[in-house]
Amino acid sequence: MRLSLFAVTAASLLLSQSASAQTTPATELSKLIETKLTAVMPKVVAWRRDIHEHPELSFEEKRTAALVAEHLRALGIEVQAPIGKTGVVGILRGGKPGPVVALRADMDGLPVTELVDLPFKSKVRTQWQGQEVGVMHACGHDNHVAILMGAAEVLAGMKAQIPGTIKFLFQPAEEGLGGAAAMVADGALANPAPSAVFGLHVWPNEVGQIAIRQGPIMAAAGNFKIIVKGRQTHGSQPWSGVDPIVVSSQIVLGLQTIASRQVNVAYLPSVLTVGQIAGGNRSNIIPDSVVMVGTLRTFDDNMRADIAMRIKRTAEDIARSGGATAIVEIDKGGLVTSNDSSLTDRMLPTLRRAANGNVAFINPVMGSEDFPVFAQKIPGVFFFLGVTPKGTDLSKVAVNHSPLFFADEGALVTGVRTMASVAVEYLSMNAGKKSAN
Ligand SMILES: [Zn+2]
Ligand SMILES: [Zn+2]
């Protein structure tokens, strides 16, 4: 065992030595990145503020996409747009042969009215589900776009030294509408096909800190709907009908025993939340039916299927016990964001260098992402970039999607350095290997 491990190490050493003979060493490339950062950072801050002030909802990112495409073209980067309705792909072909790597940034804002008092606060308003509401980059995707635009500028400036090709994926509609799938359907991962993909998300951790874990890092999200059918009657005589409100209340409590009593909590976490209950229209009428909708968060496909079966069984059997019926619909849900362990391992020194050593290992996050749509066929690494100002009590900070979500711009430089570094260092690590294309 030891011998074969040594043999692999020796072989890969030889490989990297022969590769580095023809390519610029990774350390030289990171020095080159550093020299270009200073000039780019004021622009990154300006782009971020501009995008923050002009947020656009999912699949409406026309202004943002135009800004990105114009910037990439000005840098001499090949642009494909629109890809996935409002997405943009940039292709930077380096001066040396090597593989292809993809960097991803999502571009959409949310129907949230901004409450942060900034000079570049969003004043955009829209109609959302029949109500007028503000639009805000409450998930911080404005930072992601500006960071990747900055990384593109840094990388375009050192094109001759880059051993391979870098694909920039500016993705629309991350917030639930399937922007990543739309881009993949339009060929974002083909011609040339990347062999790895990297992405980051701003997060309410300490500013400039990179937070990561190997394996599952963000949950798969799925929705479910339960319609409880009873029989309408007068509120004063429930015995002449079937009360779906009481049955629904029992179902909500029954569902909570799935995660706490029926699945192995020591294996991986799961969360099941009923987020909405609708039924009835006045105090003295027992309604005919109640509709409940909720979300299920899991980290394992088999566990998800098992919980889905239990949701159905719990709802149907509790309803039957009260003389009601339950119709249960559970969607097939999204994907788990899972970091490829060996790629994460190999990129850790790069991440540490880019974040000045400030890399933390974290527990899985129950939020979800559509980054794994890119990373399901090729290895992917996804990490969080802290944007909470130093000295803030992290237990009280406004999280993503809050109207008070605030991103400290001090993190932007770490973001640009990290994205540019993972791309060139991944390419130089694999420069000895031929591209898939
Ligand atoms: Zn979000
Ligand atoms: Zn987000």
Side-chain angles (χ1 to χ4, degrees):
M1 194 62 188
R2 271 169 193 276
L3 192 69
S4 67
L5 262 178
F6 173 75
V8 169
T9 315
S12 50
L13 257 175
L14 279 173
L15 191 79
S16 63
Q17 276 166 4
S18 70
S20 63
Q22 14 170 304
T23 57
T24 317
T27 44
E28 290 298 311
L29 292 171
S30 43
K31 273 187 208 147
L32 211 49
I33 291 172
E34 217 50 45
T35 61
K36 310 228 171 264
L37 274 178
T38 324
V40 172
M41 286 321 297
K43 297 189 212 175
V44 173
V45 171
W47 292 324
R48 185 259 157 167
R49 291 182 183 185
D50 177 53
I51 298 165
H52 188 89
E53 198 172 353
H54 302 97
E56 296 166 297
L57 291 177
S58 303
F59 284 133
E60 292 174 13
E61 308 90 335
K62 291 203 167 66
R63 183 186 184 277
T64 313
L67 189 76
V68 167
E70 191 189 336
H71 174 62
L72 297 180
R73 282 194 189 103
L75 294 171
I77 293 176
E78 182 186 327
V79 171
Q80 298 173 339
I83 298 285
K85 295 188 188 165
T86 43
V88 179
V89 171
I91 302 171
L92 175 66
R93 296 178 206 274
K96 298 184 178 180
V100 184
V101 67
L103 302 175
R104 176 269 208 167
D106 42 3
M107 303 193 289
D108 50 335
L110 286 160
V112 172
T113 307
E114 177 153 16
L115 294 179
V116 188
D117 193 17
L118 293 169
F120 49 93
K121 171 180 176 170
S122 164
K123 292 175 243 4
V124 178
R125 306 205 50 94
T126 192
Q127 285 290 318
W128 180 257
Q129 296 184 341
Q131 286 184 335
E132 200 196 312
V133 59
V135 182
M136 177 191 175
H137 267 297
C139 206
H141 299 180
D142 49 333
N143 299 276
H144 305 169
V145 178
I147 284 170
L148 198 54
M149 286 170 75
E153 183 156 338
V154 167
L155 295 164
M158 53 191 282
K159 183 177 160 172
Q161 283 83 17
I162 294 176
T165 299
I166 300 168
K167 270 194 132 166
F168 301 93
L169 308 173
F170 287 92
Q171 184 207 310
E174 190 285 322
E175 300 286 357
L177 292 184
M183 283 193 93
V184 172
D186 273 3
L189 293 184
N191 303 320
S195 50
V197 57
F198 295 94
L200 64 73
H201 206 300
V202 294
W203 212 246
N205 297 334
E206 178 195 312
V207 62
Q209 182 189 66
I210 285 175
I212 194 165
R213 85 190 295 272
Q214 292 179 326
I217 184 163
M218 293 189 86
N223 295 321
F224 61 88
K225 180 178 182 182
I226 301 171
I227 303 166
V228 177
K229 292 277 291 173
R231 199 168 68 249
Q232 186 158 330
T233 184
H234 197 287
S236 67
Q237 45 186 71
W239 54 87
S240 8
V242 174
D243 186 347
I245 288 186
V246 170
V247 170
S248 298
S249 308
Q250 291 175 307
I251 290 174
V252 171
L253 296 178
L255 293 176
Q256 292 314 311
T257 68
I258 296 175
S260 65
R261 304 285 87 182
Q262 302 179 38
V263 298
N264 184 351
V265 295
Y267 173 49
L268 281 167
S270 63
V271 167
L272 195 164
T273 292
V274 175
Q276 197 181 353
I277 305 182
N281 62 0
R282 58 174 286 155
S283 65
N284 60 355
I285 297 175
I286 290 171
D288 204 52
S289 63
V290 166
V291 179
M292 299 187 279
V293 292
T295 185
L296 170 63
R297 304 297 170 107
T298 50
F299 289 94
D300 176 285
D301 289 346
N302 292 331
M303 193 168 163
R304 189 192 173 280
D306 179 60
I307 294 175
M309 177 277 289
R310 289 170 195 276
I311 291 173
K312 196 166 169 357
R313 186 178 71 185
T314 303
E316 288 175 352
D317 289 1
I318 290 177
R320 194 174 305 119
S321 75
T325 53
I327 301 160
V328 182
E329 296 163 15
I330 306 175
D331 69 21
K332 71 177 178 52
L335 299 168
V336 178
T337 303
S338 196
N339 282 333
D340 182 88
S341 292
S342 111
L343 184 59
T344 308
D345 244 5
R346 282 189 291 145
M347 298 316 294
L348 270 177
T350 305
L351 295 175
R352 285 208 179 92
R353 204 160 41 237
N356 298 316
N358 195 1
V359 174
F361 294 93
I362 50 161
N363 292 327
V365 169
M366 300 311 297
S368 77
E369 248 292 332
D370 74 356
F371 178 80
V373 173
F374 297 116
Q376 61 182 327
K377 297 216 173 72
I378 51 172
V381 173
F382 192 76
F383 51 90
F384 298 108
L385 173 64
V387 288
T388 300
K390 280 213 163 68
T392 311
D393 179 351
L394 291 178
S395 68
K396 297 202 174 76
V397 70
V399 300
N400 303 56
H401 291 205
S402 158
L404 290 167
F405 180 70
F406 172 78
D408 187 324
E409 289 173 342
L412 291 170
V413 66
T414 309
V416 177
R417 188 192 293 118
T418 308
M419 289 305 253
S421 301
V422 292
V424 294
E425 296 195 19
Y426 172 82
L427 292 177
S428 53
M429 271 178 206
N430 295 284
K433 297 171 194 165
K434 266 267 162 251
S435 158
N437 291 274

